[in-house]
């Protein structure tokens, strides 16, 4: 069973969304030999075929001294046993730790993505609200128009009042002028008449009028005395 | 399909020399072949979400085999064997 290759570069080149990584790598038996080898030999030799092949190969290499046993053999044996023991004992823990790191990275990226989506959704809602607000603009403009009309009216009336008061002031001035003139004429005439009368009274006439007045007074006093 | 379009595993043993003749053996061609081989190995065993020791251990085993084969001449000399 061959590992299905990811379909890259099919149709047009599209980088997003990036296809996810495969979950597990290719199957490997004993950490060294891929599973495909065993499957390749299975139809002809069954299950034990590859192991027999391995054993035979090993014995051949050893007997023909193609693999020479020397000090390095002992060293490699020790090192390999230590490595295999370490992997078998701590492999799962290391894998879990690495998975946790990966999880955190993915969670962070996902959080960023969700955050962005939420922000865009709130932006969409606000946009819709603004669109709803637009429907009320007729009322807004009516109110503004009313305001402006009122301002104009008030201004017009103010100016009307100014005109009226100005005109009244001028007319009052004219009236006051005429009154003043008439009064001055009257006073002057009275003065003139008085002066001419006073002048026309000669000393002779003055004596006569005073004597007459005294006679009249005497007659009046007599009549009053008679009445009482 | 035709010979030059088949992959190595699909070629019959008798056609192997002919198939080798159709391959691009210039330096760029060889480099491209190495690149492809490494990419297929990398994507199959190393570039996965939950890999294991297999990806690296196969590379190390290959390295051990290669270095043994390069030093075989020197290792098999008797002077090397008795000096330890």
């Amino acid at each position: 069973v061959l590992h299905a290759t990811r379909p890259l570069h099919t149709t047009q080149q599209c980088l997003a969304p990036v296809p996810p990584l495969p979950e597990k790598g290719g199957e490997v038996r004993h950490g060294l030999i891929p599973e495909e080898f065993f499957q390749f030999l299975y139809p002809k030799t069954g299950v034990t075929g590859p192991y027999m092949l391995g054993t035979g190969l090993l014995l051949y290499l050893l007997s023909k001294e193609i693999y020479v046993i020397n000090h390095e053999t002992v060293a490699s044996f020790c090192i390999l046993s230590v490595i295999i023991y370490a992997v078998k004992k701590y492999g799962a823990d290391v894998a879990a730790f690495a998975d946790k790191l990966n999880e955190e990275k993915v969670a962070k990226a996902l959080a960023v993505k969700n955050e962005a989506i939420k922000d865009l959704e709130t932006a969409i809602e606000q946009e819709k609200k603004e669109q709803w607000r637009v429907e009320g603009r007729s009322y807004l403009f009516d109110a503004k128009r009313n305001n402006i009309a009122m301002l104009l009216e008030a201004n017009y009336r103010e100016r009307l009042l100014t005109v009226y008061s100005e005109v009244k002031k001028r007319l009052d001035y004219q009236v006051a002028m005429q009154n003043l003139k008439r009064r001055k004429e009257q006073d002057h005439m009275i003065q003139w008449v008085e002066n001419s009368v006073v002048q026309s009274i000669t000393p002779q006439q003055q004596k006569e009028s005073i004597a007459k007045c005294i006679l009249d007074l005497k007659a009046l006093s007599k009549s009053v005395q008679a009445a009482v | 399909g035709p010979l030059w379009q088949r992959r190595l595993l699909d070629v019959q043993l008798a056609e192997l020399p002919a198939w080798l003749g159709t391959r691009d053996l210039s330096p760029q061609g060889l480099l491209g072949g190495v690149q492809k081989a490494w990419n297929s190995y990398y994507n199959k065993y190393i570039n996965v979400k939950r890999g294991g020791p297999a990806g690296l251990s196969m590379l190390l085993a290959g390295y051990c085999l290669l270095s043994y084969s390069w030093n075989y001449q020197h290792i098999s000399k008797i002077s090397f064997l008795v000096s330890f």
Side-chain angles (χ1 to χ4, degrees), chain B residues 59-81:
Chain B
L59 284 174
L60 290 176
Y63 166 71
C64 288
L65 282 175
L66 209 64
S67 62
Y68 184 83
S69 67
W70 281 340
N71 293 344
Y72 180 68
Q73 282 275 355
H74 172 66
I75 287 180
S76 57
K77 275 203 292 217
I78 193 66
S79 54
F80 175 80
L81 287 169

Side-chain angles (χ1 to χ4, degrees), chain A residues 66-90:
Chain A
I66 296 180
Y67 178 67
V68 180
I69 299 197
N70 47 12
H71 65 285
E72 286 177 8
T73 313
V74 179
S76 68
F77 189 70
C78 300
I79 291 177
L80 277 177
S81 64
V82 165
I83 288 180
I84 289 178
Y85 173 75
V87 163
K88 283 253 183 303
K89 185 138 192 248
Y90 301 114

Side-chain angles (χ1 to χ4, degrees), chain B residues 14-41:
Chain B
E15 303 170 347
L16 198 55
W19 181 84
L20 270 180
T22 64
R23 292 289 100 195
D24 178 14
L25 294 176
S26 63
Q28 292 100 309
L30 283 175
L31 208 62
V34 168
Q35 183 85 344
K36 228 158 53 103
W38 166 252
N39 276 345
S40 49
Y41 177 82

Side-chain angles (χ1 to χ4, degrees), chain A residues 22-23 31 36 65-66 68, chain B residues 44 49-50 57-58 68 72:
Chain A
E23 276 291 327
E36 284 85 2
E65 287 262 306
I66 296 180
V68 180
Chain B
K44 183 165 176 188
K49 270 193 215 163
R50 314 194 63 233
S57 74
M58 279 198 281
Y68 184 83
Y72 180 68

